[in-house]
Amino acid sequence: MKYRRLGKTKLKVSVVGVGTWQFGGEWGINFSQPEVDAILDRAAELGINLLDTAECYGDHLSESFIGDYLSRRNRESWIVATKFGHHFHDRFSRTTHFDAQDVVKQLDASLKALQTDYIDLYQFHSGPNEVFDNDELWTALDKQVQAGKVLHLGTSIGSNANVHQTQASSSINSQAIQVVYNRLDRIPEEEVFPICLEQDLGVLARVPLASGYLSGKYKPGDVFGPTDVRHNHDKEATLRKLEEVQRIQAEEVPAGVDMATWALAWCLKHPAVTTVIPGCKNPAQVTANALAADLAEDNHPQARP
Ligand SMILES: NC(=O)c1ccc[n+]([C@@H]2O[C@H](COP(=O)([O-])OP(=O)(O)OC[C@H]3O[C@@H](n4cnc5c(N)ncnc54)[C@H](OP(=O)(O)O)[C@@H]3O)[C@@H](O)[C@H]2O)c1
């Protein structure tokens, strides 16, 4: 594994993390604790130290699986990133709640679910600018940082062209941006990444496999069951993406290299990108994803102290 510093923080994150939206049950599988344990144990064996979860991957369900796991392992060896701003109601159904009082309650619920007394990175979960521009919210969160419940604040931008929230980061003490970035969607290269480099913000590239399409295992026309979030993706757009994946597979992926591994390494080449957080459904996927670190450059700017 390779490690990079997350922006101005002192955190040294593995260049490949584990995204855990999947544990919330919206990707066609309901996970059990032993299945989650196997995924996280494999990640630990491979040197992965970063987990990304959220309040609304199930009703703190993904966090609860992680918390149960951490309670039986070494909490301090993990960097846990979670998020705030939503209440989960049912599969594919949540409401937004970004007012300061509610967010502090959400934080306490996350700490309880994660069975920990601190969160390494607490991220604004893709809310609109109207709720982001709220001094009361950031003052309340600053108090949580002072109290030691949160080590660092971050912003997961909803649109990957959200310049407003990226630009405002340093002023609200947010030290990392989470953004959709992958071989099919390079929009952050235009405006968001230059700001991240300028402000020395850490970058977590999310959806780095384009929801699994960039693994190369799906073909144009493939369909997903109703309990899989991809069932709700626009059919025409998915078809076009899968056709583009076939072209990339034929023209860009070197022979003998697993396409998922290649797609993650592709993201890690950008000087602004600190880490990728692919969602993983089993230990074999974790293994393939971790191999991307071998292809990542040693002289990346954030690989230096
Ligand atoms: N607003 C936000 O803040 C936000 C939004 C979205 C995601 N996220 C975070 O970002 C993480 C990653 O995004 P994502 O999970 O939506 O998309 P992703 O990482 O692009 O794709 C994940 C899917 O790819 C497939 N996959 C993973 N590794 C593979 C491998 N080695 N070989 C083949 N298939 C593989 C798995 O599904 P199959 O095996 O079923 O194909 C998995 O569910 C999430 O888990 C979550 O933590 C945050």
Side-chain angles (χ1 to χ4, degrees), residues 106-174:
Q106 292 171 41
L107 171 60
D108 287 335
S110 290
L111 289 167
K112 190 169 175 220
L114 287 163
Q115 301 193 37
T116 184
D117 51 12
Y118 70 97
I119 283 160
D120 299 271
L121 181 66
Y122 200 43
Q123 303 162 107
F124 177 87
H125 197 170
S126 304
N129 292 345
E130 300 79 68
V131 297
F132 179 89
D133 293 333
N134 174 8
D135 286 347
E136 208 189 320
L137 170 65
W138 298 107
T139 303
L141 285 168
D142 192 46
K143 282 190 187 140
Q144 308 309 310
V145 174
Q146 301 307 323
K149 290 182 177 182
V150 168
L151 300 191
H152 303 281
L153 296 170
T155 309
S156 182
I157 53 177
S159 149
N160 59 2
N162 193 321
V163 169
H164 176 77
Q165 291 179 17
T166 309
Q167 191 77 59
S169 290
S170 295
S171 66
I172 51 139
N173 194 27
S174 168

Side-chain angles (χ1 to χ4, degrees), residues 201-234:
L201 304 170
V203 171
L204 289 77
R206 77 167 183 261
V207 200
L209 296 173
S211 308
Y213 303 144
L214 274 169
S215 68
K217 69 187 172 190
Y218 298 114
K219 300 287 162 271
D222 280 357
V223 289
F224 296 89
T227 60
D228 189 313
V229 65
R230 292 169 290 193
H231 181 79
N232 306 329
H233 289 182
D234 180 82

Side-chain angles (χ1 to χ4, degrees), residues 18-22 27 52-53 57 83 125-126 156-158 178 206-213 215 217-218 224 228 230 258 260-261 277-282 284-286 288-289:
V18 176
T20 68
W21 179 5
Q22 285 64 18
W27 286 76
D52 180 72
T53 183
Y57 298 162
K83 315 189 188 83
H125 197 170
S126 304
S156 182
I157 53 177
Q178 185 180 132
R206 77 167 183 261
V207 200
L209 296 173
S211 308
Y213 303 144
S215 68
K217 69 187 172 190
Y218 298 114
F224 296 89
D228 189 313
R230 292 169 290 193
D258 176 76
T261 309
I277 49 166
C280 298
K281 289 168 105 172
N282 53 55
Q285 290 187 350
V286 178
N289 296 343

